[in-house]
Amino acid sequence: MTRLPRKHDAYDRYDASARVGRALRVVLLIALALLFLIPFYLLVRNGLATEQDITSPHWTFFPREVQWSNLTEVFDDPNLPMARALLNSTLIAVFTTLGTVLLASLAGYGLARIPYRHANAVFYAILGTLMVPAAVTFVPSFVLVSSLGWISTLRGLIIPTLFSAFACFIFRQYFLGFPRELEDAARVDGLGYWRTYWKVVVPNSRPVFAAVGTIVFIGAWNAFLWPLVIGQDRQAWTVQVALSTFTTAQSVNLHELFIAAAVSIVPLVVVFAAFQRYIVAGVERTGIDD
Amino acid sequence: MWFWVFVGPFAAGLGLFTYVPLLWSVYLSFFDAHNTVSPTDFVGLGNYTAILGDDAFLSSLGTFVLFTLFIVPATFALSLALALMVNRLRVAQAFFRSVFFLPTACSYVVAALIWKLSIFNGVRFGLANTVLGWFGSDQTAWLSTTDPPWYWLVIVTVRLWLQAGFYMILFLAGLQRISPRLYEAAAVDGARPGWQVFRYITFPQLRATSVAVVLLLVINAFQAFDEFYNLLSDARGYPPYARPPLVYLYYTALGKEQNLGLGSAGAVVLALIIAVATVAQARWFGLGRREE
């Protein structure tokens, strides 16, 4: 929506007010962008400051002293199992992402492309689980996982979260719009569903895999309720659970907590920077909103 | 046969980890189940009458409704405004889009930490009180007063910051699908750029996106747990006010009491409420109905 053709008599008035409007919009955007970035700044500021600087009654925008040693200190604190928690979070996020993308894309392709009498019924049964928010089932899911003996295990933290109806839905929508000609060519070459999927469909669908994968990775890394409920042992804590335990603790080293939190978002910012453009493209192409 | 090769593993997992827990929950809700998953004392509707007569549970539902009334319109308006402003930019569009989307990469735990210990801290070194102090304002105990309920400001802003960017992306995708011809036609008909074009072209064309955004916002608001838990609980425990349903159920089912029967009854009640609300909303707004 850039410049529109306009009637001549009103042209000048529109043009002048449009220019003022545009300038106001940019000022507003810059102000909002600063507001959105302040929390990130505070995270890093407090993470690299001394304890006195954080709690000083005369708060300053820049810390008086930057203390890089906070960065190593947080990994040496025996009370905050940071290295272990980062490892757990990484394993969980990676395996959850791989598993979810694999299972949901296969299901989405089957639903979109393989003729089956009851395909619609299966699709609605899957879609129906979106209506019941996953978190409502946490009490019975906890019961199920505990009766399987999976409390405080990586299995318990990963496997129950692999079946995302949302991801399946997105893949189905995307595969419905996938150009049939490509698949037909593969069929003529004598490939079955399985090989058509792996050799033709997957290599041509990288953006949607990247988009769904990024969203799932972010969700898995940031998940809190499920790891809190299932990861009861310290050994099974994720980064989020470890941090949370410390925000509610009575005495806490603030600078350590902040630097730990800052460290915890680094992997996501990296993933985010690498795949961000696919999210926009993926949303447009799959029509989440149709 | 091939259909089940592709769909089978997913469907089986979804059945085991979503349908089985749901049915198990319904089963448990009819039993006196303290700290056990295979109870023997059938109590009929006892758990249901107990939970529906429980003031704490009802007030948790009230908290959820109030929270939804705050957060859904606020996020909708902010993310739509961001999308409209970013969409028209000719330079630095990617920069602004990234800045607004970046908080999505932040967890509620980390955001709650910043909000609680750095921005809205009740003491002088919090950012909000420091800034207010420049204007000669008194210090506010943001998270520990219920009168006035300043903690709402804290809870609403943290979620707004975290989720507005994601919905902005959905709106941006919707905006980019609107045909430029519609705007040309509007200009020929003499519609003024700005409000009139937004009112008669842009907003109606975003209808499908808007419906999806509202639905996702309501479902997400209903799942509010992380920020309430992390912002309001401290070493002394969790304050009785401002417990949304999930926090309430967490403490009922997994807290000291381990009352899984009562917790399950609450979960079933919630699932029913959400199902009815979702279906009603879908009917009302015509979810999935495409523009002709």
Side-chain angles (χ1 to χ4, degrees):
Chain A
M1 215 196 115
T2 47
R3 306 274 285 275
L4 301 169
R6 291 169 188 127
K7 290 186 175 166
H8 281 293
D9 51 344
Y11 185 86
D12 286 330
R13 194 159 49 86
Y14 279 148
D15 202 47
S17 70
R19 215 176 304 145
V20 173
R22 201 153 47 228
L24 275 178
R25 206 161 59 227
V26 171
V27 170
L28 188 60
L29 269 174
I30 292 172
L32 280 169
L34 288 177
L35 218 52
F36 267 66
L37 289 173
I38 281 179
F40 288 107
Y41 173 73
L42 291 175
L43 189 61
V44 177
R45 177 212 182 265
N46 288 353
L48 294 175
T50 59
E51 197 76 12
Q52 295 77 14
D53 248 352
I54 298 175
T55 53
S56 160
H58 301 287
W59 192 86
T60 51
F61 195 73
F62 294 103
R64 265 158 290 240
E65 201 184 320
V66 174
Q67 198 167 263
W68 293 100
S69 61
N70 291 354
L71 210 47
T72 48
E73 193 187 318
V74 67
F75 287 100
D76 295 335
D77 184 343
N79 292 316
L80 185 67
M82 197 52 192
R84 178 72 205 207
L86 278 170
L87 177 69
N88 286 338
S89 286
T90 307
L91 291 173
I92 290 167
V94 168
F95 284 111
T96 301
T97 307
L98 293 177
T100 304
V101 166
L102 176 72
L103 288 162
S105 70
L106 284 173
Y109 186 75
L111 288 167
R113 279 291 195 263
I114 304 177
Y116 174 63
R117 219 165 357 127
H118 304 297
N120 265 340
V122 175
F123 176 61
Y124 285 118
I126 292 171
L127 205 60
T129 64
L130 276 179
M131 301 289 163
V132 180
V136 168
T137 60
F138 89 88
V139 174
S141 298
F142 167 78
V143 168
L144 178 77
V145 168
S146 81
S147 63
L148 289 170
W150 287 2
I151 298 293
S152 290
T153 64
L154 283 179
R155 266 175 312 189
L157 286 158
I158 295 171
I159 295 174
T161 65
L162 290 181
F163 308 95
S164 158
F166 185 67
C168 173
F169 174 70
I170 305 236
F171 276 115
R172 175 184 176 270
Q173 296 300 98
Y174 171 81
F175 289 133
L176 282 177
F178 190 84
R180 269 191 189 272
E181 304 79 57
L182 279 175
E183 286 163 273
D184 290 341
R187 306 308 290 278
V188 171
D189 289 347
L191 297 177
Y193 283 120
W194 190 249
R195 285 202 293 165
T196 305
Y197 179 73
W198 288 107
K199 293 205 186 314
V200 178
V201 176
V202 173
N204 284 296
S205 307
R206 288 203 190 105
V208 74
F209 278 87
V212 176
T214 311
I215 293 174
V216 172
F217 189 91
I218 291 177
W221 185 271
N222 286 340
F224 178 63
L225 178 58
W226 189 247
L228 177 72
V229 167
I230 300 301
Q232 298 188 336
D233 275 5
R234 278 171 72 88
Q235 287 303 302
W237 279 356
T238 63
V239 167
Q240 312 299 341
V241 175
L243 289 175
S244 164
T245 313
F246 279 79
T247 51
T248 53
Q250 209 133 32
S251 66
V252 62
N253 278 331
L254 282 177
H255 65 276
E256 230 176 71
L257 193 53
F258 276 100
I259 197 71
V263 167
S264 82
I265 66 169
V266 169
L268 278 196
V269 172
V270 171
V271 168
F272 174 85
F275 291 104
Q276 197 240 138
R277 62 202 172 95
Y278 291 117
I279 296 180
V280 185
V283 168
E284 272 168 53
R285 212 170 311 172
T286 54
I288 285 176
D289 46 352
D290 272 349
Chain B
M1 192 287 256
W2 279 109
F3 179 84
W4 287 112
V5 171
F6 279 82
V7 183
F10 182 85
L14 198 66
L16 180 59
F17 291 109
T18 302
Y19 281 98
V20 168
L22 263 181
L23 294 176
W24 200 332
S25 191
V26 174
Y27 171 82
L28 276 178
S29 69
F30 294 113
F31 285 86
D32 179 21
H34 276 85
N35 205 4
T36 174
V37 296
S38 40
T40 48
D41 292 342
F42 183 76
V43 293
L45 292 173
N47 284 325
Y48 286 93
T49 51
I51 197 107
L52 291 173
D54 180 355
D55 287 341
F57 181 69
L58 296 179
S59 100
S60 83
L61 288 179
T63 301
F64 154 64
V65 171
L66 205 58
F67 183 63
T68 308
L69 288 178
F70 271 103
I71 200 68
V72 173
T75 312
F76 187 94
L78 178 63
S79 52
L80 178 58
L82 290 176
L84 287 170
M85 287 195 288
V86 168
N87 192 42
R88 290 190 203 178
L89 283 178
R90 268 163 277 175
V91 287
Q93 199 199 75
F95 169 77
F96 283 106
R97 204 176 56 200
S98 301
V99 167
F100 296 132
F101 189 59
L102 196 59
T104 307
C106 215
S107 72
Y108 278 97
V109 177
V110 172
L113 170 85
I114 303 169
W115 256 245
K116 180 183 185 173
L117 295 175
S118 192
I119 301 177
F120 289 108
N121 207 305
V123 293
R124 180 58 84 186
F125 63 79
L127 178 62
N129 277 336
T130 302
V131 171
L132 288 176
W134 295 340
F135 299 99
S137 200
D138 287 341
Q139 293 187 41
T140 305
W142 300 98
L143 282 164
S144 47
T145 59
T146 50
D147 183 32
W150 285 117
Y151 65 92
W152 274 104
L153 182 72
V154 185
I155 278 170
V156 171
T157 50
V158 77
R159 181 167 283 244
L160 209 52
W161 181 71
L162 279 167
Q163 70 179 7
F166 180 76
Y167 295 98
M168 173 197 73
I169 297 284
L170 295 191
F171 278 123
L172 273 176
L175 284 172
Q176 278 165 26
R177 273 200 298 268
I178 301 176
S179 160
R181 283 160 178 263
L182 282 171
Y183 290 114
E184 287 162 21
V188 169
D189 290 344
R192 289 167 180 231
W195 174 248
Q196 279 195 339
V197 168
F198 175 77
R199 169 77 181 76
Y200 293 105
I201 310 285
T202 311
F203 195 65
Q205 287 290 314
L206 285 176
R207 189 170 165 281
T209 309
S210 303
V211 172
V213 166
V214 170
L215 194 76
L216 288 173
L217 279 174
V218 171
I219 288 182
N220 283 332
F222 164 80
Q223 304 205 38
F225 176 83
D226 301 10
E227 73 266 52
F228 282 89
Y229 182 87
N230 284 295
L231 281 169
L232 293 170
S233 69
D234 62 19
R236 287 167 313 223
Y238 193 92
Y241 58 88
R243 279 186 184 188
L246 274 182
V247 175
Y248 177 86
L249 288 179
Y250 175 81
Y251 281 99
T252 303
L254 305 175
K256 274 194 210 111
E257 294 258 325
Q258 296 259 327
N259 195 338
L260 297 172
L262 197 62
S264 298
V268 171
V269 170
L270 278 176
L272 286 176
I273 292 175
I274 247 316
V276 168
T278 309
V279 170
Q281 194 183 350
R283 284 268 169 105
W284 185 263
F285 290 115
L287 181 70
R289 198 167 70 201
R290 285 165 182 274
E291 294 302 321
E292 303 304 319

